[in-house]
């Protein structure tokens, strides 16, 4: 599922943490492979700032920092992710990391991701974060701020789109979870390993709004 994993990471953090709490960035979160917000040693950031870094810029380093802030270790956080998956009846889902880089058994289905996303979008804080196109957060070891731009092009390309998350690894292919709302009717669309994910998603959403 690549970085669509971060949907679960974000909702767990939102439900279990004081989002205004400022944390010191742990060493484990520095230099994490893949997409990053370039966290640095000695930095302090609020949990809410890290959540924007997680969901807009898809920061793998932010995922590790948030996991440790929530549970004390990445391993304990992954256990929490799998417990939450059971609670939400995601029968074909298994997590091994908070960011989506495969570190063992790490898989899901489009249906499970849609269920998880429908649940997460009921949370107003989650909803606000994933619908944000651009956000400035602090960079406490430098004289300027981080400017985050949401990687989800659907926010600009589809009427009513208000989330949620892109993902890509070589193993997973291109993944996209989209939320759109028109006339108070929300549709969650999930495409996995979809080379033409933007157009595939638009077609599915158009079909759903036409037929339901």
């Amino acid at each position: 599922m690549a970085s669509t994993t971060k949907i679960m990471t974000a909702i767990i953090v939102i439900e279990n943490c004081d989002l205004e709490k400022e944390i010191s960035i742990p060493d484990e979160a520095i230099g994490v492979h893949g997409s990053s917000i370039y966290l640095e040693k000695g930095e302090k950031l609020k949990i809410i700032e890290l959540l924007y870094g997680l969901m807009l810029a898809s920061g793998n380093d932010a995922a590790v920092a948030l996991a440790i802030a929530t549970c004390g270790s990445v391993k304990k956080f992954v256990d929490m992710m799998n417990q939450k998956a059971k609670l939400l009846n995601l029968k074909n889902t298994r997590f091994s990391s908070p960011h989506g880089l495969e570190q063992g058994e790490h898989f899901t289905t489009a249906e499970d991701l849609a269920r998880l996303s429908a649940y997460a979008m009921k949370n107003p804080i989650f909803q606000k974060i994933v619908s944000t196109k651009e956000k400035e957060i602090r960079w406490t070891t430098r004289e300027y701020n981080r400017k985050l731009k949401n990687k989800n092009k659907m926010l600009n390309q589809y009427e009513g789109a208000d989330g949620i998350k892109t993902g890509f690894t070589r193993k997973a292919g291109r993944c996209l979870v989209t939320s759109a709302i028109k006339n108070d009717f929300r549709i969650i669309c999930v495409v996995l390993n979809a080379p033409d994910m933007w157009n595939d998603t638009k077609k599915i959403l158009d079909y759903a709004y036409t037929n339901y």
Side-chain angles (χ1 to χ4, degrees):
M1 71 197 91
S3 281
T4 62
T5 299
K6 291 166 180 147
I7 296 166
M8 180 64 94
T9 301
I11 195 65
I12 287 176
V13 171
I14 290 165
E15 289 178 347
N16 290 279
C17 294
D18 171 4
L19 304 188
E20 290 300 313
K21 184 184 176 185
E22 190 175 74
I23 64 159
S24 298
I25 300 305
D27 290 346
E28 297 96 318
I30 296 161
V32 179
H33 175 67
S35 51
S36 177
I37 59 168
Y38 307 103
L39 294 171
E40 293 178 349
K41 197 173 180 67
E43 264 201 276
K44 290 186 176 182
L45 283 171
K46 288 182 180 180
I47 286 174
I48 188 69
E49 292 175 301
L50 287 164
L51 281 166
Y52 278 101
L54 178 81
M55 297 307 280
L56 272 64
S58 202
N60 293 336
D61 48 356
V64 172
L66 287 165
I68 292 169
T70 307
C71 289
S73 76
V74 170
K75 187 182 181 303
K76 284 181 185 171
F77 189 82
V78 170
D79 289 343
M80 202 172 184
M81 294 171 83
N82 286 313
Q83 285 164 16
K84 188 73 172 177
K86 272 187 184 174
L87 207 64
L88 294 174
N89 204 26
L90 311 182
K91 291 177 181 176
N92 298 296
T93 298
R94 183 80 189 165
F95 295 103
S96 66
S97 77
H99 37 56
L101 298 173
E102 295 92 358
Q103 295 175 345
E105 280 198 317
H106 198 89
F107 56 83
T108 192
T109 62
E111 183 181 7
D112 277 3
L113 259 186
R115 283 178 189 275
L116 169 62
S117 300
Y119 169 81
M121 285 300 279
K122 289 175 184 170
N123 184 294
I125 297 165
F126 181 92
Q127 200 177 116
K128 184 185 177 186
I129 292 169
V130 297
S131 65
T132 301
K133 294 177 184 178
E134 292 181 1
K135 182 75 174 177
E136 204 166 288
I137 63 169
R138 293 175 300 158
W139 201 326
T140 57
T141 49
R142 302 195 183 189
E143 292 177 4
Y144 49 86
N145 289 338
R146 287 180 174 85
K147 290 181 180 177
L148 308 174
K149 198 170 181 182
N150 200 319
K151 291 186 174 189
N152 186 3
K153 293 179 187 175
M154 292 298 290
L155 296 176
N156 294 314
Q157 292 183 2
Y158 194 85
E159 184 195 344
D162 62 349
I164 296 175
K165 191 73 192 74
T166 60
F168 174 78
T169 63
R170 283 184 185 176
K171 197 173 178 182
R174 299 197 177 278
C175 304
L176 179 62
V177 180
T178 303
S179 166
I181 188 160
K182 294 181 188 180
N183 303 320
D184 289 330
F185 180 27
R186 182 181 303 285
I187 293 171
I188 305 287
C189 173
V190 181
V191 293
L192 302 175
N193 192 18
D196 195 12
M197 65 182 189
W198 308 112
N199 287 322
D200 287 349
T201 295
K202 288 172 194 171
K203 285 176 190 171
I204 293 168
L205 289 171
D206 284 346
Y207 179 86
Y209 277 116
T210 304
N211 290 282
Y212 297 94

